[in-house]
Amino acid sequence: MEHFVGVGTCYLDTILRVDYFVEEGHKAEAASIIRRRGGKCPNAIEVLQQLMVAEAAALQVKLVAVLPNQFTPASVDFEVSFAGEDVLRHCIYREDEAEPARRYIIRNLQGSSNTIIDHNPQGDMTLAEFKKAAKKLDTEAAWYHFEGRIPDVTLKCMKHLRLKYPGVKISVELDEPARPGMPDLAPHADVVFFTKSWAVDKRYSDAQSFLDAQSFHAKQGSLLFCTWGDEDAWAYEPFGQGLVHVPAYRVEPHLMVVDTLGAGDAFVAGILYGLIFHSEDWSLEDKLRFANRLAAKKPLLEGFAGLREVMEED
C-alpha cells in the first residue's frame, strides 16, 4: 500500500465551552473558545500521521475534500494544520468560494457533552470532482476511506473506483441511518464501520446479532466493525475468526476527560493503522484492542496533538 486517501468534509470548528446549557431564551457566557480544523477524515488522518512515525514503510496520506479558494485564510490554516505535509494536494478547491464548511460546537463542561451545528456554504463534492482527484493519484496501490455523509455521490465514487482501479481497498463509515441510501454503501466496501446508533436504529440490542445480520448485506468477504458506545467493540471477519469482541479500555479514574469529540475518529484511525501496517503480525483482536485504547486515550487531550505520546505512556 502506497497511498491512503480520506474522502470527507473538512470543517473549521468553533468550540464554545460553557459551564452548563441554558434554557431557550436565556443567555450564557462561554468559558472559552477554541478554533481548530475538524471532520471525520481529517481527524483520522491526523491520528494516522502520528502513528506512522514509528513505521519504516512509507505511506503517502491524502485528503479529498471540498475547500474554498486555496489562498483564503481557512485553506492556508488547513494546510498548516497537517504539519506541513502535502496532504491537501488532491483536494477540490472551489476558486469562487471564500468560506469553508463550519461546525459550531457547544461543549457542556459539566456533562462533557457536545451539541454540534454544521454549516456548509460550499455544497458537497460531485462525482466529476472526485474522478478528477482520483485521476491525479492514478494508482491501484491505494486505500480509500469514505466518510459516507453523502450516500448518493459516495456510492458513485466507490463504483468508479471498482471499475477504474479494481485493486484499491475501500472502507466506509456508516453512522447516520436516517440518510437515504446509506445502507447501499456497505456492499461496495472491503471494510465497514458501524456505530451503536446505527444498530439501535435497525432495532438491534446487541452488536453480535447486528453484525451477524449485516454480514449478509455487505460485500462478500468484507470486514465489519461496530463500536457499542463506551462499552466494547466488535468485529466480524467472514473467512477468519467470525465474531471477535474486545471489552472497553478503562483509563485510570484519576485522569480527567478533556475532549470527547473525535474519539470515534481515533478508533477508526486505529483500525486502519492496524490493517495497513500490521495486517500480518496483529490478530483481529489485537487491532480491536489497539483501536479501543486509542479511542479511550483521546478524550484525555484537547484535540489530537500528542496522542501517540499518551499511548506510549502505558
Side-chain angles (χ1 to χ4, degrees):
M1 196 66 60
E2 298 176 3
H3 302 270
F4 175 84
V5 185
V7 186
T9 305
C10 187
Y11 291 99
L12 178 60
D13 287 353
T14 299
I15 304 169
L16 301 173
R17 301 168 77 242
V18 299
D19 293 325
Y20 56 89
F21 287 137
V22 297
E23 296 180 7
E24 184 178 354
H26 291 68
K27 294 182 179 180
E29 185 172 341
S32 64
I33 298 177
I34 301 170
R35 290 186 176 88
R36 69 182 187 223
R37 184 254 307 125
K40 288 181 177 296
C41 285
N43 289 345
I45 284 174
E46 183 174 353
V47 176
L48 270 177
Q49 284 181 306
Q50 294 186 48
L51 299 176
M52 286 163 44
V53 171
E55 299 298 332
L59 181 71
Q60 295 189 41
V61 180
K62 305 295 180 186
L63 174 68
V64 173
V66 175
L67 298 180
N69 187 291
Q70 194 168 1
F71 302 103
T72 59
S75 291
V76 173
D77 287 345
F78 288 155
E79 184 172 356
V80 172
S81 72
F82 286 110
E85 296 190 28
D86 197 15
V87 174
L88 305 185
R89 179 186 296 180
H90 295 79
C91 278
I92 300 155
Y93 290 96
R94 300 265 175 87
E95 297 303 322
D96 56 345
E97 292 287 347
E99 289 296 317
R102 296 177 183 268
R103 286 194 310 186
Y104 298 90
I105 301 156
I106 304 173
R107 179 183 300 162
N108 179 4
L109 298 180
Q110 289 186 357
S112 298
S113 61
N114 299 300
T115 297
I116 303 175
I117 302 171
D118 294 350
H119 175 61
N120 187 359
Q122 303 173 110
D124 293 315
M125 175 188 70
T126 66
L127 174 61
E129 288 173 326
F130 175 78
K131 285 183 176 180
K132 186 176 180 181
K135 188 175 181 180
K136 287 181 181 178
L137 196 62
D138 198 29
T139 180
E140 294 191 29
W143 187 302
Y144 281 83
H145 176 70
F146 288 88
E147 178 183 335
R149 198 180 65 84
I150 44 173
D152 55 339
V153 175
T154 300
L155 180 59
K156 293 175 183 176
C157 294
M158 295 167 80
K159 288 182 175 180
H160 170 71
L161 289 175
R162 292 296 184 205
L163 180 64
K164 187 72 175 178
Y165 309 103
V168 302
K169 290 287 186 179
I170 297 176
S171 56
V172 66
E173 292 183 64
L174 304 182
D175 65 351
E176 296 187 39
R179 289 183 181 270
M182 192 72 82
D184 299 334
L185 303 179
H188 299 274
D190 301 291
V191 179
V192 185
F193 294 93
F194 295 100
T195 59
K196 180 180 179 180
S197 60
W198 182 282
V200 171
D201 183 82
K202 302 301 181 185
R203 304 188 185 281
Y204 289 90
S205 59
D206 61 88
Q208 307 98 296
S209 57
F210 169 70
L211 285 180
D212 189 54
Q214 296 310 306
S215 65
F216 292 98
H217 304 293
K219 176 176 177 285
Q220 186 178 16
S222 290
L223 189 57
L224 311 180
F225 293 91
C226 182
T227 52
W228 206 253
D230 59 356
E231 298 174 20
D232 48 16
W234 291 80
Y236 181 81
E237 189 177 32
F239 301 133
Q241 297 175 257
L243 281 169
V244 177
H245 165 248
V246 169
Y249 180 87
R250 303 297 180 188
V251 298
E252 295 295 329
H254 67 276
L255 297 176
M256 182 181 296
V257 172
V258 176
D259 175 20
T260 59
L261 194 67
D265 303 331
F267 175 85
V268 169
I271 292 295
L272 293 173
Y273 169 76
L275 292 173
I276 294 172
F277 289 99
H278 295 281
S279 60
E280 301 298 329
D281 58 322
W282 286 9
S283 67
L284 184 55
E285 186 175 345
D286 292 333
K287 297 179 180 74
L288 270 178
R289 188 177 291 109
F290 178 82
N292 249 10
R293 187 160 65 95
L294 198 64
K297 295 278 191 177
K298 191 273 155 236
L300 304 178
L301 302 169
E302 183 67 57
F304 297 89
L307 184 55
R308 182 174 65 88
E309 288 76 9
V310 172
M311 288 286 286
E312 292 176 348
E313 290 175 358
D314 289 348

